[in-house]
Amino acid sequence: TSAAPALADSSVLLPVTSTGDVVVDGVHQRVFISDPKSGKVVATDYNGTVVGTIDSLPGVRGLELSADSGTLYAALEDSDAIVAIDTATATEAHRYPTGAGTQPEYPVLAGGKLWFGYRNGGSGNIGSLDLSGSDPVVTLHQDTDKTWNDAPILASSPGAPNTVVAGAPGQSPAELAVFDVSSGSATRTAYLWDPGDSSNLTDLAVTPDGKDVVTASGAPYR
């Protein structure tokens, strides 16, 4: 057999001390990485070259890209706010307070609003940010059926534009719920406790067709 061709080392050391979320912007060919410990979002090109850094984002973790790739939304856990970042210039464009002590995380777009998990007073719930009017409107306590133990991880998909899926992070066993947000409020349509021997949920995603939810579990490592 012939020898395989040699490959160059393509790894790049990025200027981050932690990673909260990673989002790929195909329009501008950029990769955005949130760094919660350093309070910043780093933008790179597809080669890993840093093309921009957005600082002063304490506790930034979850990221969500708009459908037109023009805006990146970032939840600031330590600033009780959601920031809108201009993806073309990699600069902060707007900052929307979510309420004192809310610690928002995991923003997703669905039903014409931005939804986010948050915690307050030792429990968690789901909030929404409506940017369709002249003034931004934040609505908390959208999940009236249950109070989560922590800020739930949220996910959505263009294949189900009016659906938000939520999961309890780090909990054993795992807990999932599905919400219809077409009315502007979150209406629970499905709920599952302990989905398939899964514990310590660390992330989840909805498939592009909107029909399935993929979970990443801290235990038993699947």
Side-chain angles (χ1 to χ4, degrees):
T1 59
S2 60
L7 298 177
D9 184 0
S10 60
S11 64
V12 177
L13 184 63
L14 298 177
V16 298
T17 57
S18 65
T19 51
D21 202 359
V22 178
V23 166
V24 178
D25 173 7
V27 172
H28 301 99
Q29 296 192 358
R30 289 179 172 175
V31 180
F32 293 91
I33 306 105
S34 66
D35 181 352
K37 288 185 179 180
S38 299
K40 64 183 178 181
V41 171
V42 174
T44 76
D45 61 17
Y46 284 178
N47 294 318
T49 302
V50 175
V51 297
T53 301
I54 305 95
D55 293 306
S56 301
L57 306 177
V60 61
R61 188 175 302 277
L63 304 174
E64 177 78 343
L65 188 65
S66 63
D68 62 1
S69 293
T71 303
L72 179 73
Y73 295 100
L76 309 187
E77 180 181 356
D78 296 338
S79 287
D80 300 330
I82 291 176
V83 165
I85 296 170
D86 187 316
T87 53
T89 61
T91 58
E92 179 178 331
H94 302 283
R95 185 170 294 215
Y96 306 103
T98 55
T102 49
Q103 299 180 279
E105 296 189 67
Y106 316 112
V108 298
L109 290 164
K113 293 183 178 182
L114 186 73
W115 302 81
F116 56 92
Y118 71 94
R119 66 178 61 82
N120 196 343
S123 62
N125 210 299
I126 297 173
S128 65
L129 173 62
D130 188 353
L131 300 173
S132 61
S134 57
D135 295 315
V137 177
V138 173
T139 305
L140 302 177
H141 304 292
Q142 286 277 9
D143 184 4
T144 59
D145 292 310
K146 183 184 184 300
T147 299
W148 301 81
N149 292 327
D150 202 349
I153 302 172
L154 302 186
S156 62
S157 169
N162 294 312
T163 298
V164 170
V165 179
Q171 180 176 291
S172 180
E175 180 182 10
L176 298 174
V178 182
F179 298 88
D180 180 352
V181 297
S182 59
S183 67
S185 299
T187 301
R188 183 176 293 191
T189 58
Y191 175 79
L192 183 61
W193 174 268
D194 192 12
D197 188 28
S198 176
S199 299
N200 306 120
L201 181 72
T202 58
D203 204 358
L204 55 84
V206 182
T207 54
D209 61 8
K211 295 181 179 179
D212 294 292
V213 180
V214 181
T215 63
S217 300
Y221 317 122
R222 60 180 62 156

